[in-house]
Amino acid sequence: MRRFNIAVLAALTLTTGLTAAPAAQAHGGRAPLGIDNCTATACHFDVPPGVYDVKVVLGGDTDSSTAVSGESRRALLPETAAPAGERVSRSFTVDVRTPEGEPTGPAGTPGLDLTLGGSAPALADIRVTPARHARQIFLVGDSTVCDQPADPYTGWGQQLPQYLRKGVSVANYADSGESTVTYLGNPQLWATVQPLIRPGDLVLVQLAHNDKTTDEATYRTNLETLVAGVREKGGRPVLVTPIVRRWFNADGTLNNGTALLVNGLGVDHPAVIRSVAAAQDVPLIDLTAKTKALVESLGVEGSKALYLYNEKRDNTHTSVHGATVYAGLVRDELVARHLVPRGAVRVG
């Protein structure tokens, strides 16, 4: 479940030129954090690691439709239309860190890098400022969650930021190939994440796919350790059951151990997660149940687009489309369980 290819972002063509804008406030004596830091296809801001608010003004002389991604292929702003001659303002908050993607991956490029996408991108202005009082959503997980470096692989955590408004950012510390055992044991992972948690931050934990040889007692203890570690820092733990594998029975259901993440020792990972959540009074996002219902409703053929079956014969990892849909399920659960205010998310 580990992917090491480094993605190469495809060049995009803007149909309208960029217009110079007044200089923004300098950050630590550096160049103004505005449109002067952009080309026709991308922006680079020479900022240190931290959390930043980004305000974009979209639109041009013709109809436009612009999406914004950044860092390690994170979706930061969904495609947004602007009629000809009009301007549309949107804002989001982004986590800048090193490594910029998977914690055990390459460092990436220093600073904040944004890429302009969409069917007809047009950027009229942009401002980047240090975020104040931003809430972080930390993600602890595996390759189905992480910021995957190479297309077509995409984790649902990679798509989650586009659903959040300014003031809430995603710090995705999920890493390919990790189990509860390895995540706790690797100093680049939990030992790095825990000190970053501040009071009130959410920490979503989805680890199961790689606990193939973890016995039930150890798995339960590891989840309890993560919960206790989040609470020790004043954070709010949220346990997330794993997304299903697309592994159908002859009757069109996913009622089998492969699909529902029961390991070779008979450990029913979703069931243990539910049990720990109840015993520890931890909010639960039952992504296993949500994704099972969706995959079964789409059927054998329709569900292929959610995963990388057509590209890789892969029934575990999600496509960009699948990751986006699954991130939407997480967004809905965050709101439904009052973990984030409804006004903090984008809908539709």
Side-chain angles (χ1 to χ4, degrees), residues 21-52:
Q25 291 182 348
H27 179 84
R30 292 177 172 83
L33 304 182
I35 205 166
D36 289 344
N37 294 276
C38 300
T39 68
T41 60
C43 302
H44 173 76
F45 300 94
D46 184 18
V47 297
V51 182
Y52 295 88

Side-chain angles (χ1 to χ4, degrees), residues 20-74:
Q25 291 182 348
H27 179 84
R30 292 177 172 83
L33 304 182
I35 205 166
D36 289 344
N37 294 276
C38 300
T39 68
T41 60
C43 302
H44 173 76
F45 300 94
D46 184 18
V47 297
V51 182
Y52 295 88
D53 290 332
V54 180
K55 179 181 179 181
V56 294
V57 180
L58 308 175
D61 295 334
T62 60
D63 290 346
S64 64
S65 187
T66 309
V68 181
S69 60
E71 298 296 87
S72 184
R73 301 178 59 238
R74 298 180 218 160

Side-chain angles (χ1 to χ4, degrees), residues 251-276:
D251 63 0
T253 70
L254 300 180
N255 296 323
N256 61 78
T258 299
L260 299 181
L261 281 297
V262 178
N263 74 9
L265 301 178
V267 179
D268 185 332
H269 293 104
V272 176
I273 295 169
R274 295 177 189 120
S275 174
V276 171

Side-chain angles (χ1 to χ4, degrees), residues 57-343:
V57 180
L58 308 175
D61 295 334
T62 60
D63 290 346
S64 64
S65 187
T66 309
V68 181
S69 60
E71 298 296 87
S72 184
R73 301 178 59 238
R74 298 180 218 160
L76 299 173
L77 184 71
E79 190 155 354
T80 303
E86 296 188 17
R87 299 292 184 266
V88 175
S89 296
R90 294 289 186 271
S91 297
F92 54 86
T93 301
V94 59
D95 173 59
V96 177
R97 62 182 184 270
T98 302
E100 67 181 27
E102 295 180 88
T104 63
T109 304
L112 171 61
D113 288 284
L114 303 176
T115 301
L116 307 175
S119 58
L123 178 67
D125 196 12
I126 187 168
R127 289 290 182 272
V128 175
T129 56
R132 303 185 187 281
H133 313 298
R135 174 181 294 181
Q136 292 268 70
I137 299 178
F138 288 89
L139 303 182
V140 170
D142 52 36
S143 61
T144 66
V145 185
C146 75
D147 287 350
Q148 287 278 1
D151 183 73
Y153 291 90
T154 310
W156 63 255
Q158 207 161 12
Q159 298 299 106
L160 185 61
Q162 68 183 305
Y163 289 122
L164 301 172
R165 298 184 186 275
K166 175 184 173 182
V168 184
S169 70
V170 174
N172 191 350
Y173 283 86
D175 197 70
S176 294
E178 306 301 342
S179 65
T180 57
V181 175
T182 61
Y183 204 95
L184 285 167
N186 188 333
Q188 293 176 279
L189 299 173
W190 183 238
T192 296
V193 175
Q194 190 195 18
L196 301 175
I197 301 169
R198 299 174 304 178
D201 286 339
L202 292 179
V203 183
L204 275 58
V205 178
Q206 187 216 279
L207 287 167
H209 279 271
N210 299 300
D211 280 279
K212 298 173 183 176
T213 60
T214 309
D215 63 81
E216 183 170 339
T218 301
Y219 186 64
R220 180 181 296 272
T221 297
N222 289 344
L223 292 175
E224 292 171 346
T225 298
L226 290 165
V227 166
V230 174
R231 286 175 166 165
E232 179 185 325
K233 304 299 291 186
R236 296 195 294 162
V238 180
L239 292 178
V240 183
T241 60
I243 67 170
V244 293
R245 295 190 181 100
R246 184 189 161 278
W247 196 265
F248 282 93
N249 294 330
D251 63 0
T253 70
L254 300 180
N255 296 323
N256 61 78
T258 299
L260 299 181
L261 281 297
V262 178
N263 74 9
L265 301 178
V267 179
D268 185 332
H269 293 104
V272 176
I273 295 169
R274 295 177 189 120
S275 174
V276 171
Q280 298 288 319
D281 193 25
V282 175
L284 174 74
I285 294 178
D286 199 339
L287 205 51
T288 304
K290 293 287 184 180
T291 55
K292 178 179 186 290
L294 177 59
V295 171
E296 288 180 342
S297 71
L298 292 172
V300 173
E301 290 301 316
S303 62
K304 287 179 179 178
L306 295 173
Y307 291 82
L308 293 175
Y309 179 84
N310 293 324
E311 299 87 348
K312 303 286 185 178
R313 293 297 188 268
D314 187 330
N315 292 306
T316 297
H317 297 94
T318 47
S319 62
V320 172
H321 169 66
T324 303
V325 171
Y326 287 177
L329 296 178
V330 174
R331 179 268 318 270
D332 294 344
E333 287 294 288
L334 289 173
V335 173
R337 300 187 181 285
H338 307 290
L339 296 169
V340 298
R342 184 173 297 274

